[in-house]
Amino acid sequence: MKVPTYTSKLQRTKTAGGGAMLNASMSLAAAAAPGKAMESVGDQVFNLGYEKYKIQATSEINETMPYFTTEIEGIKEKFKNSHDPVQAEKKVRSEMQKVYKKYLRGKTTNAGGNPFLSSNLARSGFNTKANNLITQGLLNWKKENNKYIVALNKTNHLSEIKKNDNTAGDINLPKPQREIGWENNFKIFPGAKGAVPSMQAVLDGKYSYLSRNNIFSVKEITSQTENSLNNIGLKITNTIIGNQTYSPMSVSEAIYTGEIEKIKAVDPILAKVWEKMEGKQRTEFLKKVRKEEKAFYDDLKVRNEAEDKKNNAADKKTLLEIFNVDVNDENAVNEAKQKFQTLLNKKFFMKLSERNAVQKLLYPDQDDPDQKSDQNKLNELEGHDIDDTLTMEIINKAKPKLTQIDYAKWLKRFKTEKSDAQKYVTKTVINRAFYFDELLQNNAHSKLVTRFNSMRNSAIASLETWLNQNKQKSYTEIVAEGKKIMEPYLERIEKMYKNSFNDNVGNFKESFISREFRQSGKEFTVDNIINFIADKEKPGDAAFKSFRQDFEVYISVPGYKDWGK
Amino acid sequence: MWQLMVAGAGLSFMGSMNSAKAVSAAGKYNQQVANRNAAVATQKGKLREFRAEQDAVKFREAYDGLLGQQTTEYAKGGMMVGTGSALEVAMKSAEEMDDDIATLEYNARAEAGDLRDQAENLRLQGVLARYEAKAQAKAIRMAAFGKFATSMASV
């Protein structure tokens, strides 16, 4: 038996079931899109505002810059060519910074009272432009200032050069001072280059210093040296010509010869100038001096002629006034005498007759000016003068035969004779008798000096007393009186010297020096002692020197050779 | 002027912040989808193992039927069941059935393992999607702050 069974079997799925995978996903970009859109709108709004903002800032900057530039230019101008350029540079920088900050901080306002720069953007833009302006401006200014410093430095040097030129060329200054002025410009000290600048400036002359340190170019040095030489040379020649020290054209003539000694005779610095000059410069210089000389003398001639003409006319008028004087009016006569003297001083009278006429008019009591002295009397007086026997008595006796002028002349000569006689007696007759010059040559014999001086003064006083009582004595008589006064003194002087010698010999004998002298067996005379000392004395030997000076004084005293024998 | 600039900068900033927020939300959503897909995959794995067990039961039932037919046939043939060749054939059949059941179970476990891995992969993708969105949102915010600050500085 076969039992039917349900056989149908459905196949189960092996993979299905449990859920399906989802593919849905959210895109990040899509999620962000709305926000991005909003951001974009925001950006557009911002950019719109920013553009306007930029335009306003640019406008403000453009409005501000001219004011700012003007102030900056003003500062540059203010400190340009300052006397202290180094300090000026600092000031320019600080003043520019002040102005810059003033604008940047909104302290500067426009016509509406608002700050020029209202926004950060404006300030930022201004900052960039202003910085450029200041930096560039400062650089340019510094460049100009540096040029100015160099120029100023040159000007200072030129000023010193000019000063030295003036000193060297001023003939009224002492020669050493002028030499220094010359050296200060033209000296060349070979070792100066190695020295520090300050020392170099002292050692070297200006031109050498400026050339070595490249302060002046070669061209400038050459040109300036030429100027200096011309300035010094022309200043010297100008003054010499102006002073009329030499005859007309003699300065240019001396230069023309080219001989240094001749130019030196005119002026030593002028000779140096000439030596320094080159050929062409010399020619030009000579031309200038000649021209200058000619111009001066031409001018002088014209001036003198005019002056002479003027003076002559005035003097003639004065002469006329003198001639018309009222001889009875004493005051008028005195005034006329003064005028006459003035005309005499001016050497107005060309004709002697004219002068004598005036003299006769004003001095009627005086001798006739046309009268001449007696020649025989004049010869007689000359003879007395030669013989030293001229006295007042002789001159007075001759007076009637002499003109007033000759009489006055002989009176003057007599006074001179008397004075000469007094001098001769004092110096030769009295002073020599005391051997005073020898005594004063060393410090020894101070006691003798004192005593002799007293005696000498006494002798001179005696002479003066005698002269006062005998004023009309001749030269010969005065000398004779002098010798007479000295007679008693001479004897005393010799004795005093002898005593002094004896004292000194005593001292010499007591000294250690004399030991050797004694051994020689020689006598203690002046000559022996001096010869002994001369042999033994060594430089710096005080004892020998002292004795030598003591004994040397006795040489030339009469009879000294016999002393000590 | 500056008011317009401030308004624009504010609007732009707000837009950027909204973008960031939306990106972040999208990332979160994408992660949720991935997590859901991972749960499905896990579910599928479990289902696969459950079905393998059901198949093994059915297989055994089928073997029991076969063994009954064999016993019946041997008995009809006068063969002693449980001894000699009949036993060997029965043993052989039993061994083969065990082999098939083992293969069946192995296949089911392998497929379930793959599905679990897929689920894990989907979860990770979700995490990454979320992280990416967060990062993008953060970048948008940063950019927005930067732009706003720059804009304000220009005013």
Side-chain angles (χ1 to χ4, degrees):
Chain A
M1 162 192 84
K2 202 174 180 177
V3 180
T5 54
Y6 182 82
T7 56
S8 180
K9 295 285 179 185
L10 281 176
Q11 193 66 36
R12 270 196 314 264
T13 176
K14 291 203 185 281
T15 55
M21 295 293 178
L22 297 178
N23 289 326
S25 73
M26 184 82 183
S27 160
L28 297 183
K36 287 279 176 196
M38 190 194 268
E39 182 187 333
S40 172
V41 172
D43 286 348
Q44 280 180 16
V45 171
F46 176 82
N47 285 337
L48 184 66
Y50 188 62
E51 282 307 314
K52 284 187 176 179
Y53 189 56
K54 273 204 291 191
I55 290 165
Q56 190 182 345
T58 310
S59 162
E60 284 179 359
I61 293 166
N62 288 342
E63 191 190 356
T64 310
M65 282 314 285
Y67 291 99
F68 179 71
T69 309
T70 307
E71 287 207 41
I72 293 295
E73 289 303 320
I75 293 167
K76 281 155 74 174
E77 199 57 37
K78 184 179 166 189
F79 291 100
K80 197 169 143 188
N81 298 347
S82 160
H83 70 280
D84 186 353
V86 178
Q87 193 60 28
E89 192 177 314
K90 288 179 188 167
K91 289 232 172 183
V92 162
R93 183 189 293 274
S94 104
E95 296 247 335
M96 281 183 176
Q97 287 296 335
K98 267 188 204 165
V99 172
Y100 165 72
K101 283 177 185 168
K102 185 176 75 176
Y103 276 85
L104 207 60
R105 287 172 184 167
K107 286 184 180 173
T108 314
T109 52
N110 56 23
N114 299 315
F116 275 114
L117 306 166
S118 66
S119 64
N120 281 340
L121 188 64
R123 283 189 283 274
S124 164
F126 170 79
N127 186 27
T128 312
K129 282 196 172 184
N131 263 330
N132 283 343
L133 189 75
I134 288 179
T135 310
Q136 202 54 44
L138 204 58
L139 271 177
N140 290 341
W141 190 89
K142 275 168 86 172
K143 215 183 268 178
E144 288 301 314
N145 195 40
N146 286 344
K147 273 188 203 164
Y148 175 67
I149 290 172
V150 171
L152 193 66
N153 190 29
K154 282 186 180 178
T155 308
N156 288 340
H157 284 299
L158 284 176
S159 163
E160 285 180 41
I161 286 173
K162 199 174 171 189
K163 203 172 145 196
N164 294 333
D165 286 349
N166 282 337
T167 307
D170 188 348
I171 63 166
N172 296 319
L173 293 174
K175 194 186 159 197
Q177 194 177 338
R178 293 179 64 204
E179 291 274 4
I180 290 170
W182 171 266
E183 292 288 305
N184 283 347
N185 276 353
F186 295 101
K187 184 173 58 179
I188 298 170
F189 191 84
K193 202 182 175 184
V196 292
S198 56
M199 275 304 291
Q200 194 187 339
V202 174
L203 295 170
D204 242 347
K206 270 279 166 206
Y207 285 117
S208 180
Y209 173 76
L210 296 174
S211 169
R212 280 174 171 168
N213 292 287
N214 295 322
I215 297 170
F216 277 27
S217 67
V218 177
K219 200 176 163 188
E220 284 171 326
I221 292 277
T222 311
S223 146
Q224 198 49 50
T225 307
E226 275 187 23
N227 280 346
S228 266
L229 294 173
N230 272 331
N231 289 343
I232 299 170
L234 290 175
K235 187 169 183 189
I236 294 169
T237 53
N238 247 326
T239 322
I240 291 174
I241 294 166
N243 288 349
Q244 298 178 59
T245 318
Y246 300 98
S247 59
M249 310 308 279
S250 64
V251 177
S252 57
E253 285 308 311
I255 296 172
Y256 177 71
T257 62
E259 289 174 30
I260 294 302
E261 287 309 317
K262 282 189 180 170
I263 304 173
K264 259 188 196 169
V266 176
D267 185 84
I269 299 290
L270 185 63
K272 283 176 187 273
V273 169
W274 185 254
E275 279 180 316
K276 272 256 173 210
M277 282 179 172
E278 303 289 332
K280 196 182 167 190
Q281 202 190 353
R282 283 183 172 182
T283 313
E284 289 300 315
F285 180 70
L286 182 59
K287 270 186 199 169
K288 281 179 191 166
V289 176
R290 273 188 169 153
K291 199 174 164 188
E292 181 184 33
E293 240 174 356
K294 191 171 180 308
F296 178 82
Y297 284 108
D298 285 351
D299 184 44
L300 188 68
K301 200 176 158 189
V302 172
R303 272 192 284 128
N304 285 345
E305 279 172 4
E307 191 70 17
D308 285 351
K309 213 172 167 183
K310 194 176 150 195
N311 288 342
N312 210 30
D315 292 342
K316 275 183 178 169
K317 196 181 161 199
T318 309
L319 182 64
L320 214 63
E321 285 168 4
I322 296 170
F323 276 131
N324 292 330
V325 71
D326 180 359
V327 290
N328 298 319
D329 183 347
E330 198 181 337
N331 290 337
V333 171
N334 283 337
E335 194 183 334
K337 280 179 181 175
Q338 281 178 1
K339 285 178 182 171
F340 175 54
Q341 194 57 47
T342 309
L343 292 181
L344 284 176
N345 292 343
K346 285 165 84 173
K347 297 188 170 53
F348 164 76
F349 293 103
M350 300 300 286
K351 294 174 190 168
L352 194 63
S353 56
E354 208 169 39
R355 191 198 72 178
N356 290 341
V358 179
Q359 193 164 342
K360 278 179 191 172
L361 177 72
L362 298 176
Y363 302 94
D365 300 337
Q366 283 189 0
D367 298 331
D368 185 348
D370 294 332
Q371 187 191 338
K372 289 183 178 174
S373 299
D374 182 348
Q375 194 55 46
N376 289 334
K377 278 289 165 195
L378 287 175
N379 292 342
E380 190 187 321
L381 289 171
E382 281 293 341
H384 283 296
D385 190 26
I386 292 165
D387 296 343
D388 291 335
T389 54
L390 189 67
T391 63
M392 264 306 289
E393 195 183 352
I394 294 169
I395 294 169
N396 284 336
K397 270 184 188 172
K399 189 182 175 188
K401 301 280 184 180
L402 299 177
T403 63
Q404 198 70 27
I405 293 169
D406 283 340
Y407 176 67
K409 194 175 87 181
W410 278 101
L411 280 182
K412 197 174 172 188
R413 198 183 284 192
F414 173 70
K415 278 185 186 171
T416 310
E417 283 286 289
K418 244 180 81 174
S419 169
D420 287 351
Q422 189 176 358
K423 277 181 195 163
Y424 174 77
V425 171
T426 309
K427 282 186 80 174
T428 310
V429 178
I430 299 176
N431 283 357
R432 277 300 305 156
F434 290 97
Y435 310 101
F436 222 68
D437 293 341
E438 287 82 353
L439 278 175
L440 293 176
Q441 277 176 6
N442 55 53
N443 293 324
H445 304 281
S446 58
K447 282 182 185 171
L448 270 185
V449 171
T450 312
R451 289 174 65 191
F452 282 175
N453 203 24
S454 154
M455 288 162 71
R456 191 178 66 94
N457 287 336
S458 169
I460 290 169
S462 302
L463 177 72
E464 280 172 356
T465 309
W466 182 84
L467 280 172
N468 283 335
Q469 292 162 355
N470 300 278
K471 288 186 177 171
Q472 298 187 356
K473 296 293 181 185
S474 69
Y475 184 99
T476 310
E477 287 168 326
I478 294 169
V479 173
E481 181 59 24
K483 287 179 178 172
K484 194 178 153 193
I485 289 170
M486 277 307 291
E487 273 172 17
Y489 289 106
L490 288 173
E491 206 178 327
R492 279 167 61 194
I493 290 165
E494 204 178 317
K495 279 182 183 170
M496 283 165 73
Y497 267 119
K498 181 79 191 309
N499 290 339
S500 160
F501 169 75
N502 289 337
D503 289 346
N504 280 327
V505 169
N507 292 337
F508 181 68
K509 283 178 179 174
E510 284 173 14
S511 78
F512 68 95
I513 300 168
S514 66
R515 223 174 290 154
E516 202 177 332
F517 184 83
R518 278 176 202 281
Q519 287 168 1
S520 69
K522 286 182 179 173
E523 292 173 318
F524 284 87
T525 64
V526 174
D527 288 340
N528 286 344
I529 294 170
I530 287 175
N531 287 337
F532 168 75
I533 291 171
D535 287 343
K536 303 292 173 190
E537 186 181 351
K538 286 172 188 168
D541 196 331
F544 278 97
K545 188 183 172 188
S546 171
F547 278 117
R548 179 169 52 76
Q549 287 177 342
D550 284 346
F551 286 100
E552 274 175 349
V553 173
Y554 306 121
I555 299 173
S556 79
V557 177
Y560 83 96
K561 282 183 181 291
D562 296 332
W563 299 346
K565 281 188 175 174
Chain B
M1 239 68 65
W2 64 271
Q3 295 89 339
L4 205 59
M5 287 168 71
V6 170
L11 198 61
S12 173
F13 180 72
M14 278 167 66
S16 298
M17 295 311 275
N18 282 345
S19 285
K21 198 174 173 185
V23 165
S24 187
K28 200 172 178 183
Y29 168 76
N30 286 344
Q31 189 184 16
Q32 283 172 350
V33 170
N35 284 346
R36 191 261 171 200
N37 284 345
V40 167
T42 308
Q43 185 65 25
K44 277 181 182 286
K46 284 179 179 170
L47 202 61
R48 183 70 187 87
E49 282 174 338
F50 174 68
R51 280 182 187 148
E53 283 170 11
Q54 280 184 329
D55 284 346
V57 170
K58 279 180 184 171
F59 204 73
R60 284 180 199 283
E61 282 174 356
Y63 174 71
D64 284 347
L66 180 69
L67 187 61
Q69 278 180 352
Q70 279 178 347
T71 305
T72 307
E73 287 303 321
Y74 279 131
K76 277 178 183 176
M79 290 175 68
M80 280 288 285
V81 179
T83 59
S85 297
L87 182 61
E88 284 180 4
V89 170
M91 285 299 289
K92 182 68 179 164
S93 294
E95 281 175 7
E96 283 179 355
M97 184 202 67
D98 282 344
D99 282 348
D100 282 346
I101 287 172
T103 303
L104 187 79
E105 284 177 346
Y106 172 77
N107 286 344
R109 275 200 301 276
E111 282 179 31
D114 286 348
L115 286 166
R116 275 196 298 276
D117 284 348
Q118 193 182 355
E120 192 59 32
N121 186 37
L122 286 166
R123 262 193 300 276
L124 285 173
Q125 276 180 354
V127 170
L128 283 175
R130 174 80 173 132
Y131 181 76
E132 189 184 326
K134 271 186 175 175
Q136 206 165 328
K138 198 173 179 181
I140 290 168
R141 279 193 201 98
M142 292 279 281
F145 276 112
K147 195 156 91 177
F148 187 71
T150 312
S151 301
M152 285 299 103
S154 306
V155 177

